[in-house]
Amino acid sequence: MKYQESDYSKIKLIIWDLDETFWEGTFSEGDVVCPQEHIELLHLLTETGVVNSICSKNDDAPTRAKLTDIGAMEYFVFPSINWEAKGKRIKQIIEDMQLRPANVLFLDDNHLNIAEAEFYCPEIMTAGPEVIPALIKCAQTQFDSGKRKNRMQQYRILEQKSSEREDFGSNEEFLTASCIQVLISEDCTDKAERICELNKRANQLNFTKNRVELDEIERVLNDPEYRCGTVAVSDRYGDYGITGFYCVDIRANRLLHFCFSCRTMGMGVEQYVYKYLNRPQLEIVGEISSDPNVPEDPFWINNSEAKEKKDSFEIDKKVLFKGPCDLWSVCNFFSDNSIATEFTYDTAKNGAIDYGLNHTNTMLNAALLPQEEIDELSKLPFAGEKTYSKALFSGEYQVILLSVLMDGMMARYRNKKTGRIVVWGDWCIDITNPDNWDKLIAKEIETYSLNFDREFLEEFSEEWEYLGQIPIDETVANFIKIRELLPEETVLILSLGSEIPYEKNTDPVYFEREKYNVELNRKLEAAFSDVPNTYLLNTTDLITSQNDFNDGITHFRKPVYYRMANEINRILNESGIGMNQRGKAYMVYASARQKLWQNETVRKVYYKLRGIK
């Protein structure tokens, strides 16, 4: 189906050809030039809830490297880059992303590729690169702050799940290993807006198609003749939040509303809930992508005996993983019901991403400030429900894993009256500087899904002053204080940053981050060399080449996280091994290793001996 400008509102996914479409030229024949407005369009589409993928005939590794170099790779999910015919690949991308072809636009300059896509996906929208200016115009005028990057994050999770699914012998084995948890709540009067949004947007798993306005949702939620409930879903890959809603007319034992987000498609959630409700009458309206009666018993949901995927590690201690994506990715390799996590998350109050909860200033605020001061700080828009969690200091955990990454990333702000410090955003961006306000409001600067307006920025700049990045010595002092606040018998493991540079970095927040990490790591090693039950996880030793980086110095490919999990497993299971046993001898070795590694010739010889390009 040929794309028309009036079809823009239908688009959930754009699949891009690269040569002579996304960029000018043919990559396999020489260098290419990508118009800056195309990269800006990717950013705008992502901010407004439209996801982007790739179907290109090129060699995978150099093409990804080029996309990374121009700052575009981070905007694509489920990229398919090889020399196979495009029709089947496009169909596979759409299926893996659990979308309908009718909500997908394929852009390609070759009419044969377009014809092939239409053959395999008759409902797909297609167009050539001539429509890109119109797409830019539409994206600029149809901003929806309710979607933004949340959708991209969900597809990142789906991408990881799709990759790991291949390791299992059957789909049921994979679902069992996913440790799917479903929480049904019938106390949902304060969730009317989320329910209304779900009711309107859900399509493939909206069984009744009974789309109504907010006032009608509020009516049935407060009517005792209707039984209503929300469905929240999580698994070992992430927390999906509220993804389902049901409303049963008690008098007729009939479902008035029964809808679920496509984010949980294929997990058996709708079957689980339908069974939970004792299968009331359900008149299915329109086309759906699932039968609520099959399978009748999705036994893998809320299964306390669910087995993790192979190559996972067992932990017999109560453990807290607290940090950003490095520990989130490592945690997936551990199998134990006693693991608790505090990772970066989307706040419920405004959808903003809470990165600050794992900065040392925030952790110490949670531990040391009076509750009334914490309540006051929690009113700031970038503070979420978990920002000032006290779980770290509860004494409940025998093992705690923390990451040092957030201190080097985030900016600090000090209250001019109280002197209290909060953290938010990239350390190199000052939100109290009026020169940045227009860009923050227009989201030309990364806002981590937070919506700014001039009134807030003016008020914030009057009350708070910008401090920038935390000094390294203060980070070390903060970690020492955190260690002192923990029970002496608690095992503390700190995950260190990479001392190897990511050679394709273009992000100012990570400029010369490897030098920062070298200094921080040495000072942490010195500070904790003789501290009992304290260990440093040296990520640098686990990186073998630039191929181990994903898209930056803080993001790695899966093998590195598996090596990190191995190292944690070793620390926990081998007695007498850790930084407190290494002392000065290890510090000498670490310093010598780092000096050697900074020599380009040494790195080239090392890579050559390992057969790494």
Side-chain angles (χ1 to χ4, degrees):
M1 181 179 72
K2 298 304 179 184
Y3 170 75
Q4 303 292 328
E5 190 169 335
S6 59
D7 294 326
Y8 182 82
S9 61
K10 302 177 185 177
I11 300 175
K12 293 183 178 180
L13 167 68
I14 297 178
I15 302 178
W16 292 79
D17 167 51
L18 295 178
D19 295 338
E20 301 295 356
T21 301
F22 181 67
W23 53 42
E24 298 166 0
T26 302
F27 185 58
S28 61
E29 297 176 359
D31 200 12
V32 294
V33 177
C34 182
Q36 182 60 31
E37 56 264 30
H38 289 191
I39 299 175
E40 292 173 357
L41 174 59
L42 292 180
H43 175 78
L44 188 56
L45 290 167
T46 301
E47 288 287 339
T48 56
V50 176
V51 188
N52 297 274
S53 185
I54 297 170
C55 188
S56 170
K57 290 184 178 180
N58 271 300
D59 292 323
D60 184 78
T63 304
R64 287 176 182 261
K66 179 64 178 179
L67 289 165
T68 301
D69 189 51
I70 64 176
M73 192 65 214
E74 64 179 297
Y75 296 109
F76 293 111
V77 295
F78 288 89
S80 177
I81 307 171
N82 57 54
W83 293 98
E84 297 176 7
K86 291 191 177 183
K88 290 184 178 180
R89 289 198 281 150
I90 290 170
K91 182 179 181 181
Q92 189 64 53
I93 291 171
I94 296 171
E95 290 178 354
D96 287 343
M97 294 182 67
Q98 300 176 353
L99 292 171
R100 297 171 58 242
N103 297 119
V104 179
L105 171 61
F106 173 51
L107 298 177
D108 199 304
D109 66 304
N110 189 316
H111 69 280
L112 293 177
N113 290 335
I114 285 180
E116 189 178 333
E118 292 174 339
F119 175 80
Y120 282 95
C121 304
E123 295 181 320
I124 195 171
M125 294 178 281
T126 58
E130 68 276 1
V131 305
I132 294 176
L135 288 175
I136 295 174
K137 180 180 177 182
C138 288
Q140 290 172 336
T141 58
Q142 300 199 24
F143 183 80
D144 184 345
S145 61
K147 301 177 183 178
R148 295 193 310 275
K149 291 188 177 179
N150 293 346
R151 179 169 290 173
M152 169 69 88
Q153 179 61 25
Q154 294 299 334
Y155 282 112
R156 289 284 185 217
I157 293 173
L158 195 59
E159 189 174 30
Q160 182 185 0
K161 292 173 69 173
S162 179
S163 174
E164 294 191 6
R165 190 186 301 267
E166 299 174 2
D167 295 342
F168 293 86
S170 69
N171 189 52
E172 289 186 355
E173 181 185 350
F174 169 75
L175 291 170
T176 301
S178 295
C179 299
I180 300 169
Q181 300 295 312
V182 170
L183 176 64
I184 297 174
S185 172
E186 298 193 353
D187 180 13
C188 49
T189 53
D190 61 340
K191 304 180 181 72
E193 290 188 2
R194 168 58 184 152
I195 292 169
C196 185
E197 176 188 44
L198 180 65
N199 171 264
K200 288 186 175 182
R201 289 184 177 174
N203 189 51
Q204 299 178 75
L205 295 179
N206 192 334
F207 294 89
T208 59
K209 303 291 194 301
N210 186 14
R211 307 187 199 278
V212 296
E213 298 301 323
L214 180 60
D215 58 349
E216 173 62 14
I217 292 293
E218 292 175 336
R219 185 188 71 80
V220 297
L221 292 180
N222 291 285
D223 190 331
E225 294 184 343
Y226 293 94
R227 177 187 178 188
C228 300
T230 58
V231 182
V233 180
S234 64
D235 62 15
R236 61 190 292 267
Y237 298 92
D239 188 339
Y240 305 89
I242 294 176
T243 58
F245 171 65
Y246 62 81
C247 174
V248 181
D249 183 334
I250 298 173
R251 297 160 298 181
N253 192 31
R254 179 177 60 86
L255 276 162
L256 181 65
H257 298 285
F258 195 59
C259 56
F260 299 84
S261 167
C262 64
R263 286 180 288 177
T264 60
M265 188 179 296
M267 298 170 70
V269 174
E270 61 273 19
Q271 289 88 3
Y272 178 88
V273 176
Y274 194 51
K275 178 185 177 184
Y276 168 83
L277 295 173
N278 293 318
R279 297 186 172 84
Q281 296 179 51
L282 173 59
E283 181 181 349
I284 296 176
V285 177
E287 182 181 350
I288 58 169
S289 299
S290 172
D291 184 343
N293 281 300
V294 179
E296 294 186 0
D297 183 18
F299 58 86
W300 51 81
I301 292 179
N302 293 347
N303 182 358
S304 61
E305 299 179 357
K307 297 179 180 178
E308 290 279 356
K309 73 181 291 295
K310 56 189 176 182
D311 295 333
S312 63
F313 302 96
E314 298 291 338
I315 294 181
D316 60 0
K317 301 176 176 65
K318 199 161 188 181
V319 181
L320 174 66
F321 280 80
K322 180 175 174 62
C325 50
D326 57 340
L327 292 183
W328 185 90
S329 299
V330 170
C331 183
N332 288 331
F333 289 103
F334 288 92
S335 169
D336 195 277
N337 291 329
S338 64
I339 289 179
T341 61
E342 287 189 348
F343 298 139
T344 302
Y345 68 101
D346 294 346
T347 66
K349 69 180 182 183
N350 57 16
I353 302 174
D354 183 2
Y355 275 102
L357 76 161
N358 292 311
H359 191 286
T360 57
N361 278 142
T362 307
M363 289 187 274
L364 288 177
N365 279 348
L368 302 176
L369 293 185
Q371 187 59 46
E372 58 268 21
E373 291 195 42
I374 291 177
D375 292 342
E376 194 64 29
L377 295 179
S378 297
K379 295 177 182 178
L380 290 167
F382 36 78
E385 305 75 33
K386 306 173 187 176
T387 302
Y388 296 105
S389 166
K390 299 179 185 293
L392 171 63
F393 305 104
S394 66
E396 183 180 353
Y397 302 100
Q398 295 172 274
V399 179
I400 293 174
L401 291 100
L402 301 179
S403 170
V404 307
L405 297 184
M406 299 316 297
D407 275 35
M409 172 184 168
M410 302 194 71
R412 302 183 308 152
Y413 297 86
R414 179 167 51 208
N415 189 286
K416 295 176 182 178
K417 291 183 179 179
T418 67
R420 298 308 184 196
I421 292 176
V422 297
V423 297
W424 182 85
D426 295 349
W427 68 266
C428 51
I429 302 297
D430 176 7
I431 65 172
T432 67
N433 184 348
D435 292 342
N436 292 325
W437 290 355
D438 287 341
K439 293 181 179 180
L440 286 163
I441 294 169
K443 296 185 180 291
E444 295 173 7
I445 293 175
E446 177 61 77
T447 68
Y448 299 100
S449 297
L450 187 62
N451 293 319
F452 284 111
D453 57 45
R454 187 169 294 274
E455 181 181 0
F456 167 76
L457 292 169
E458 289 175 350
E459 291 177 355
F460 186 80
S461 65
E462 290 177 2
E463 297 178 15
W464 299 82
E465 61 179 333
Y466 169 71
L467 298 181
Q469 188 182 55
I470 184 173
I472 286 177
D473 287 342
E474 189 171 335
T475 290
V476 175
N478 285 351
F479 276 116
I480 291 173
K481 185 63 177 179
I482 289 170
R483 172 69 267 188
E484 292 173 349
L485 291 170
L486 298 176
E488 186 175 342
E489 65 275 12
T490 298
V491 174
L492 174 64
I493 302 175
L494 299 181
S495 175
L496 304 182
S498 167
E499 299 172 18
I500 300 172
Y502 174 59
E503 296 173 356
K504 296 179 180 179
N505 177 61
T506 58
D507 192 338
V509 77
Y510 296 121
F511 178 67
E512 294 191 336
R513 180 65 176 270
E514 69 280 359
K515 295 180 180 179
Y516 172 97
N517 290 344
V518 168
E519 182 180 352
L520 176 60
N521 293 352
R522 296 296 83 76
K523 290 187 175 182
L524 286 171
E525 288 168 355
F528 290 109
S529 62
D530 297 313
V531 178
N533 295 322
T534 305
Y535 305 86
L536 304 191
L537 177 57
N538 198 322
T539 305
T540 304
D541 287 344
L542 309 178
I543 301 170
T544 60
S545 77
Q546 288 294 305
N547 292 332
D548 277 336
F549 292 102
N550 188 3
D551 58 2
I553 194 170
T554 61
H555 293 164
F556 305 109
R557 298 193 184 278
K558 190 174 178 180
V560 175
Y561 295 123
Y562 181 70
R563 295 169 202 153
M564 291 173 68
N566 267 294
E567 185 69 6
I568 293 169
N569 191 55
R570 179 186 66 79
I571 289 171
L572 294 179
N573 290 286
E574 295 182 15
S575 60
I577 294 180
M579 281 303 303
N580 55 308
Q581 299 294 324
R582 289 174 171 174
K584 293 181 180 179
Y586 176 77
M587 291 172 61
V588 171
Y589 153 73
S591 177
R593 180 207 66 222
Q594 181 57 28
K595 289 179 181 178
L596 281 172
W597 188 257
Q598 293 302 314
N599 186 296
E600 184 177 357
T601 302
V602 171
R603 294 201 303 273
K604 287 182 177 179
V605 171
Y606 175 80
Y607 292 159
K608 185 174 182 181
L609 289 174
R610 294 181 66 95
I612 300 167
K613 297 181 179 180

